Amino acid sequence: GFSKQMVEILQKHGVAFSTFDIFSDEEVRQGLKALSSWPTYPQLYVAGELIGGLDIVKELEASGELDTICPKGQKLEDRLKSLINKAPVMLFMKGNKQMAKCGFSKQIIEIMNNTGVDYETFDILEDEEVRQGLKSFSNWPTYPQLYVRGELVGGLDIVKELKESGELLPVLKGEN
């Protein structure tokens, strides 16, 4: 319950954080208690320094200090814009170039590989926030999603149509 409360507070404040499951490693669990001289969990660290447990974090939240102590995460919209512009041709899919994890992704990878155009992939199965957020951001409910120079081209059906009409290569090269 305490860990859940801590995570909720950090999320509410848009703090960029990661977690470590202390039940996964008893040596770390006991060692951290000794190292930090803090007998309970959860423990919040910022830049390697112990801030405290849930009680301290609640006090910091109440005083408004939490926002000055903790690093903010990138806003989702900014993160999505950054990702779709990571490469001139960006494909959001289940899996990656080396291993598609669904039939639609496998089909689009085969089409893309046959164009000879360089492209990057992002595995939406590795990041639920991006997976859900990109659907709203692009107003496109399914995957894969193909972007050229930050603009949504479409999914597998659109890519197939462009290939059949001979327009895919010009679109990928930004000549449209």
Side-chain angles (χ1 to χ4, degrees):
F2 295 128
S3 293
K4 184 179 179 195
Q5 287 179 58
M6 176 82 83
V7 166
E8 286 170 355
I9 290 169
L10 296 176
Q11 286 175 334
K12 183 171 86 179
H13 287 267
V15 174
F17 70 96
S18 59
T19 61
F20 179 81
D21 180 0
I22 52 153
F23 291 123
S24 70
D25 191 325
E26 187 62 25
E27 189 178 11
V28 170
R29 181 179 182 186
Q30 297 307 327
L32 204 51
K33 286 181 184 179
L35 178 74
S36 65
S37 300
W38 198 272
T40 60
Y41 289 101
Q43 295 179 5
L44 178 67
Y45 291 81
V46 174
E49 296 293 318
L50 176 67
I51 301 302
L54 181 62
D55 51 344
I56 302 290
V57 170
K58 283 182 173 180
E59 288 173 19
L60 290 169
E61 180 185 33
S63 73
E65 289 177 81
L66 186 65
D67 290 325
T68 59
I69 292 172
C70 294
K72 292 290 184 195
Q74 194 178 21
K75 286 194 175 87
L76 180 59
E77 187 174 329
D78 294 337
R79 189 162 166 239
L80 294 173
K81 284 178 185 174
S82 174
L83 284 170
I84 65 175
N85 287 290
K86 184 179 172 194
V89 180
M90 197 66 201
L91 178 63
F92 292 82
M93 59 179 282
K94 293 178 180 174
N96 56 44
K97 281 186 199 184
Q98 292 73 37
M99 192 171 113
K101 293 181 182 170
C102 85
F104 299 117
S105 292
K106 187 175 194 283
Q107 288 179 57
I108 204 165
I109 285 291
E110 287 170 3
I111 293 169
M112 293 298 294
N113 288 344
N114 287 328
T115 66
V117 171
D118 246 5
Y119 67 98
E120 293 290 321
T121 60
F122 183 91
D123 184 354
I124 56 152
L125 298 176
E126 299 291 319
D127 193 320
E128 191 62 24
E129 187 181 42
V130 169
R131 181 180 183 175
Q132 296 307 324
L134 196 58
K135 289 179 187 180
S136 310
F137 180 82
S138 65
N139 200 21
W140 195 270
T142 59
Y143 289 100
Q145 290 184 16
L146 180 66
Y147 290 79
V148 175
R149 294 195 173 113
E151 296 293 322
L152 176 67
V153 172
L156 177 62
D157 50 347
I158 302 290
V159 170
K160 281 181 172 177
E161 287 173 21
L162 290 170
K163 179 187 169 204
E164 287 166 19
S165 70
E167 297 173 68
L168 182 59
L169 209 50
V171 165
L172 293 176
K173 290 180 177 179
E175 297 168 358
N176 57 333

